[in-house]
Amino acid sequence: MWDVLIAGAGPAGSIAATLLARAGARVLLLDRARFPRDKLCGDSLNPGTLALLRRLNVSAWIDTHGMPIDGMLVTGPGKVRVEGRYPAGFSGRSVARRDLDYALLTEAVRAGAQFDDGVTVRRAHVQPKTDGPVACVRGLVVSSYKGDVTIAAPVVIAADGRRSPVAFGLGLARHPLRPRRWAVGGYFEGVSGMSTLGEMHIRVGAYIGVAPLDGGLTNACLVAPASTIGQSRDPEAVLLGAIRRDAVLRDRFTRARLIGRPTVLGPLAVEVETPSVAGLLLAGDAAGFIDPMTGDGMRFAVRGAELAAEAALEILATGQPDAHVLLARRRQKAFAWKWRFNRVLRSLVDTPAAIGAAACGAAIAPSVLRSVIRTAGDCQC
């Protein structure tokens, strides 16, 4: 009998599994992929995320292998160009998501969690309470060579991504009408002008993130409306076309070579109804996914995993029936201010007027944008 089942072995699932296993819980971690596996991501950890990983004692591999990121370069219309260095003592890391996920998964297994890959989670196993009509989650239904099989546990953590079969299957998640953005990203060799800064190139209706990686690779990721990416049958042409049309980037990518095929993801935004269902805890993108403009998604995943693990331990220790409600409140308290901050920044790329006003402000008072960069990086941690 398992104490906790976790669907999804990305950062949120692996960190939750690590914390629970360290506390003595019997944890089964499931993922449909075979690890290590590729995943579309900006490949950057901001200082706040890195501080969380260090506090949870899961950062050793990242500290050794990640490339230090000392701040951000932000460009915008009207030749706006601002370099924002993180304060002394603060830095981030860039690391390929494939390697990051595998390192965190290794920590979970080392802590005592059992990991089964190549397992597809179909849906939550729901049963009515014995004392009333309210349903609760008591396991997961997974596919196997024998057909669908139910694995039972008193606690389930859904960390199975922005298309979570668990959250969507229970009607807890949906894709909002706005914003309807998609992302396409790839790795390049031979990009010139790279430094120890991450880059965000904000354009009307879209933005391009660029991150340096160890070994001379560069991650370039375009986020744009569904009409630009989601409906295209040639993501490579979309990504290369956006770079070649960009006055800031095109010369730097003239001699660059795309490694492998670009990856497409979308629609990005996911909204989740909270609280969820008794016995079920949400973490990572399954708990709500936002556009990655500020790089906050990983910090939300790490801290959200910690909160989910704490709630799971409360259920196991006390039978707390409202742990899922308490988790939703704790997430609100932990993330509400940064959610608002992110919504304001994301709104800047929605209209030419908004981005034009922001560009003028940045040109007149670049110190304000530098302050925004420090806030986005969670340098107060």
Side-chain angles (χ1 to χ4, degrees):
M1 178 68 175
W2 300 102
D3 295 317
V4 183
L5 300 179
I6 301 178
S14 290
I15 289 173
T18 299
L19 299 178
L20 287 162
R22 287 176 182 172
R26 295 167 296 180
V27 182
L28 177 59
L29 179 61
L30 305 170
D31 201 289
R32 65 180 180 180
R34 303 284 185 180
F35 281 65
R37 55 93 172 95
D38 293 319
K39 182 81 172 181
L40 179 61
C41 182
D43 289 345
S44 293
L45 304 173
N46 69 21
T49 305
L50 193 57
L52 281 172
L53 292 169
R54 287 170 175 164
R55 178 170 63 78
L56 298 175
N57 194 27
V58 292
S59 69
W61 188 93
I62 299 162
D63 286 329
T64 302
H65 295 86
M67 180 175 175
I69 298 295
D70 297 322
M72 292 294 296
L73 165 66
V74 177
T75 72
K79 298 183 179 180
V80 169
R81 178 187 175 92
V82 176
E83 290 188 7
R85 300 275 173 170
Y86 296 136
F90 290 89
S91 68
R93 288 288 188 276
S94 67
V95 57
R97 180 65 184 273
R98 173 188 179 91
D99 299 329
L100 171 68
D101 286 8
Y102 190 66
L104 294 176
L105 173 59
T106 300
E107 289 287 345
V109 174
R110 184 181 294 119
Q114 178 172 319
F115 173 58
D116 289 351
D117 60 0
V119 177
T120 300
V121 174
R122 296 297 186 189
R123 59 188 180 275
H125 171 59
V126 181
Q127 66 181 33
K129 285 187 176 180
T130 57
D131 58 350
V134 179
C136 59
V137 171
R138 284 293 179 264
L140 291 170
V141 178
V142 305
S143 63
S144 74
Y145 68 94
K146 296 180 180 179
D148 287 351
V149 175
T150 298
I151 305 175
V155 184
V156 171
I157 296 178
D160 48 344
R162 41 170 291 283
R163 288 185 172 176
S164 166
V166 177
F168 275 90
L170 292 172
L172 302 174
R174 67 182 183 89
H175 293 296
L177 294 178
R178 291 178 58 85
R180 298 288 283 186
R181 298 193 183 107
W182 287 59
V184 55
Y187 294 100
F188 292 82
E189 287 182 336
V191 178
S192 64
M194 297 304 297
S195 68
T196 59
L197 298 178
E199 302 178 19
M200 182 59 64
H201 304 281
I202 302 172
R203 307 296 181 252
V204 176
Y207 52 89
I208 302 173
V210 178
L213 291 166
D214 194 28
L217 289 179
T218 297
N219 176 321
C221 185
L222 167 69
V223 177
S227 57
T228 301
I229 299 175
Q231 299 175 10
S232 173
R233 296 183 179 180
D234 191 349
E236 180 174 333
V238 171
L239 178 60
L240 294 178
I243 292 172
R244 290 166 181 162
R245 290 190 299 271
D246 194 274
V248 174
L249 294 174
R250 60 189 173 210
D251 291 341
R252 294 172 55 192
F253 280 76
T254 299
R255 298 182 179 179
R257 183 170 71 93
L258 181 63
I259 306 300
R261 292 180 56 82
T263 304
V264 177
L265 190 69
L268 294 180
V270 176
E271 291 182 351
V272 175
E273 298 291 337
T274 55
S276 54
V277 180
L280 174 67
L281 305 170
L282 304 179
D285 292 344
F289 184 89
I290 62 170
D291 286 359
M293 183 176 179
T294 62
D296 256 328
M298 195 61 69
R299 187 178 75 88
F300 292 157
V302 175
R303 178 62 175 139
E306 183 182 23
L307 293 173
E310 291 171 354
L313 290 173
E314 290 176 9
I315 295 174
L316 295 175
T318 67
Q320 173 61 262
D322 296 328
H324 58 296
V325 178
L326 297 176
L327 174 60
R329 292 173 181 168
R330 291 166 186 169
R331 286 179 57 87
Q332 179 71 21
K333 182 178 180 180
F335 303 144
W337 183 87
K338 203 62 184 292
W339 284 335
R340 290 192 294 270
F341 174 82
N342 289 339
R343 281 195 294 269
V344 170
L345 290 189
R346 293 198 310 276
S347 68
L348 296 180
V349 301
D350 282 342
T351 65
I355 198 169
C360 289
I364 296 171
S367 61
V368 174
L369 184 53
R370 293 190 182 99
S371 178
V372 169
I373 290 171
R374 290 192 293 272
T375 300
D378 293 300
C379 293
Q380 70 275 16
C381 293

